[in-house]
Amino acid sequence: MDTNDLLLLAAARRGDTLGVRAALEAGADVECRDAEQRTPLLLAARADQVGAAEILVEAGGDPDARDGQDDTPWLVTGVTGSVRMMRVLLAAGPDLRLTNRFGGTSLIPAAERGHVAYVRAVLRETDIDVDHVNRLGWTALLEAVILGDGGRAHEEIVELLITAGADPQLADHDGTTPLHHARRRGFGRIAGLLEAASARAGSRGRETPR
């Protein structure tokens, strides 16, 4: 690998904006890869190095470049929960339909991990599919209930997802709904939100068109 590429990768990882600019000006490839097939932009995204990411996006860095684990810079933002990084990469036009190795969009790990600000921002600022189903058969709503801790952050996320149009009756591969999972886990407040949402959905389904 070219020395300038190595310098760019290292600078992106540690957020050295001067180093990033210098390596690019010296001819480094903005899409160069490390041993794990991670680009400089992916390294910056993983480390939440926003300044470095801004420079790399300006230089044409691809928000959809996959590494050996099927991660992309955009998908990583759902793991870190960084709203600032999300917005930097959103300006680069990521494909919101791309999925990680579990078949999930960026919204799903964010919901699981309790990243309230990220979930709120990505729902408001993009047209990401709120009911996307991953390879486990889980939506963001299911994942927030099944893998969440039932605390305030996950309550807020469930509420945000419902408000954004998530289907509260969309069950997992075993036919278990988010409401049933919430009851099993003893998440009373979340169960209450899901009960109300399910009742509203049921009412709409029973409405007779005029």
Side-chain angles (χ1 to χ4, degrees):
M1 182 183 293
D2 183 270
T3 300
N4 290 319
D5 291 350
L6 291 171
L7 291 172
L8 178 58
L9 289 163
R13 184 185 294 107
R14 65 176 182 268
D16 177 2
T17 55
L18 293 177
V20 169
R21 287 192 188 280
L24 290 169
E25 289 170 1
D29 180 1
V30 72
E31 293 300 321
C32 63
R33 308 280 181 138
D34 68 6
E36 297 178 50
Q37 295 301 302
R38 297 174 299 191
T39 62
L41 186 54
L42 179 50
L43 291 172
R46 284 170 57 92
D48 198 26
Q49 302 292 359
V50 176
E54 287 174 335
I55 298 167
L56 292 163
V57 166
E58 288 171 7
D62 183 359
D64 297 329
R66 290 192 183 276
D67 68 3
Q69 294 290 319
D70 272 349
D71 279 329
T72 71
W74 171 260
L75 288 172
V76 162
T77 64
V79 176
T80 65
S82 173
V83 175
R84 291 180 64 206
M85 185 65 73
M86 182 211 83
R87 288 174 175 151
V88 168
L89 296 178
L90 188 58
D95 184 347
L96 304 180
R97 299 166 299 177
L98 291 184
T99 58
N100 58 28
R101 63 187 178 278
F102 304 109
T105 63
S106 69
L107 177 62
I108 293 181
E112 171 211 332
R113 292 165 181 254
H115 295 320
V116 177
Y118 183 96
V119 171
R120 181 182 294 111
V122 82
L123 289 173
R124 286 181 178 174
E125 299 172 31
T126 78
D127 60 354
I128 201 163
D129 182 2
V130 71
D131 279 330
H132 175 83
V133 180
N134 68 13
R135 292 192 185 111
L136 299 173
W138 297 344
T139 60
L141 187 56
L142 278 161
E143 194 131 336
V145 177
I146 295 169
L147 298 181
D149 63 8
R152 183 57 190 153
H154 287 98
E155 289 172 14
E156 288 187 48
I157 285 171
V158 166
E159 193 163 13
L160 287 167
L161 292 168
I162 290 170
T163 300
D167 182 353
Q169 298 175 321
L170 191 57
D172 62 19
H173 284 339
D174 296 321
T176 306
T177 65
L179 176 56
H180 289 147
H181 279 292
R183 286 173 174 164
R184 283 179 183 174
R185 300 201 64 197
F187 297 163
R189 289 177 62 86
I190 289 177
L193 292 169
L194 292 166
E195 284 171 0
S198 295
R200 289 193 298 272
S203 274
R204 287 194 297 271
R206 290 192 298 272
E207 287 178 358
T208 304
R210 296 181 180 181

